[in-house]
């Protein structure tokens, strides 16, 4: 029907004209909207910039893809473990020779747990922990020290950071005499609890005892004036303290609100899509 076809064409033409008129009439608003959207994407990209840089550097160092690194970081991240810390810790692990995804994640998770339990900086703790290799604790095996860290935290006024610094300073002497990190934790705790010696005083006397001992651990105890029974008391406490770090970390996690967890999830979502944001 020619008349019906003509009427249909007129409707289509009228529809297109209405769309055109609407665009012309609202072009300013549309332009503002596009500018606002662009500014929003730019802001997101800037917020992701530092994390993206860390991600790319870690990917280069490990031979993994950017996507793999993002997945590893978001699997670790939570309300008490920000993404930047997760990336920073994995970077420290990679710098000490860890390459696999599992080893990097375990390394990062360990130092995060200790940080949550003690209120200290996870990256500062991990950097101090690099000296542990000199006394037989290879990178990636730091979980062997959960008892020592728990003993120091529960039974002394030292912090774990103080203890790691002492081990770093005493590493040559500890290695020469064959005194382990666990035994050092027991001795320093016993010196404080039984003799009232802490800080530099305790460290200086411990160092001298290590240098003068000719019979290993027994000689160190003799030089310090600690009995075998006193040593055994805190050795038992160390063995009972392996769960302290986990319990203390859980206590911190329990204080986080639903909003804290939501913010963390949103951060993970943005980071996981960082590649798309950068391209946008």
């Amino acid at each position: 029907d020619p008349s019906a076809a003509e009427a249909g064409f007129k409707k289509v033409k009228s529809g297109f004209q209405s769309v055109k008129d609407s665009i012309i009439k609202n072009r300013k608003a549309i332009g503002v909207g596009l500018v606002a959207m662009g500014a929003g994407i730019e802001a997101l990209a800037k917020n992701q910039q530092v994390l993206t840089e860390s991600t790319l550097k870690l990917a280069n160092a490990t031979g993994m893809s950017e996507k793999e690194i993002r997945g590893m970081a978001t699997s670790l991240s939570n309300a008490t473990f920000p993404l930047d810390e997760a990336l920073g810790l994995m970077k420290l692990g990679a710098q000490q020779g860890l390459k696999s995804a599992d080893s990097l994640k375990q390394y990062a998770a360990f130092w995060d747990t200790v940080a949550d339990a003690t209120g200290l900086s996870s990256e500062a703790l991990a950097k101090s922990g690099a000296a542990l290799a000199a006394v037989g604790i290879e990178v990636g095996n730091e979980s062997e020290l959960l008892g020592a860290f728990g003993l120091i935290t529960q039974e002394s006024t030292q912090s774990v950071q103080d203890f790691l610094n002492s081990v770093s300073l005493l590493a040559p002497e500890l290695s020469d005499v064959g005194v382990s990190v666990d035994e050092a934790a027991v001795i320093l705790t016993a010196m404080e609890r039984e003799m009232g010696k802490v800080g530099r005083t305790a460290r200086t006397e411990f160092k001298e005892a290590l240098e003068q001992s000719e019979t290993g651990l027994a000689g160190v105890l003799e030089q310090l004036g600690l009995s075998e029974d006193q040593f055994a008391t805190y050795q038992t406490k160390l063995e009972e303290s392996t769960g302290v770090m986990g319990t203390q970390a859980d206590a911190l996690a329990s204080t986080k609100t639903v909003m804290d967890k939501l913010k963390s999830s949103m951060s993970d979502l943005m980071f996981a899509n960082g590649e798309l944001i950068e391209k946008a």
Side-chain angles (χ1 to χ4, degrees), residues 105-266:
K105 287 168 65 175
Q106 288 172 11
Y107 176 87
F110 173 80
W111 288 113
D112 171 61
T113 297
V114 178
D116 287 351
T118 60
L120 300 169
S121 162
S122 59
E123 290 186 61
L125 287 165
K127 286 178 181 178
S128 297
L132 293 169
V135 284
I137 307 295
E138 296 297 329
V139 61
N141 295 334
E142 293 86 358
S143 59
E144 295 175 16
L145 299 178
L146 284 172
F149 289 173
L151 177 71
I152 290 295
T153 299
Q154 271 202 160
E155 302 291 338
S156 80
T157 59
Q158 293 185 80
S159 69
V160 170
Q161 184 74 68
D162 294 334
F163 174 64
L164 287 171
N165 291 342
S166 293
V167 169
S168 177
L169 292 169
L170 295 170
E173 290 80 12
L174 291 170
S175 181
D176 287 345
V177 179
V179 172
S180 71
V181 180
D182 278 355
E183 289 166 342
V186 171
I187 289 170
L188 287 168
T189 303
M191 289 179 72
E192 177 175 343
R193 294 290 297 274
E194 302 294 334
M195 306 166 72
K197 295 179 179 179
V198 296
R200 182 177 294 180
T201 299
R203 189 166 58 243
T204 299
E205 292 193 15
F206 190 9
K207 179 181 175 70
E208 291 173 352
L210 287 165
E211 291 171 340
Q212 294 169 13
S213 173
E214 296 180 355
T215 54
L217 176 61
V220 172
L221 296 178
E222 183 180 357
Q223 292 291 332
L224 290 171
L226 288 170
S227 70
E228 290 185 6
D229 286 344
Q230 288 172 321
F231 179 85
T233 295
Y234 296 98
Q235 178 68 39
T236 299
K237 289 181 181 293
L238 179 143
E239 292 165 2
E240 295 170 349
S241 300
T242 55
V244 170
M245 293 292 100
T247 301
Q248 299 283 51
D250 288 344
L252 173 66
S254 70
T255 67
K256 297 301 176 182
T257 65
V258 172
M259 186 56 69
D260 292 325
K261 295 173 183 177
L262 179 60
K263 287 178 180 177
S264 176
S265 296
M266 289 300 294

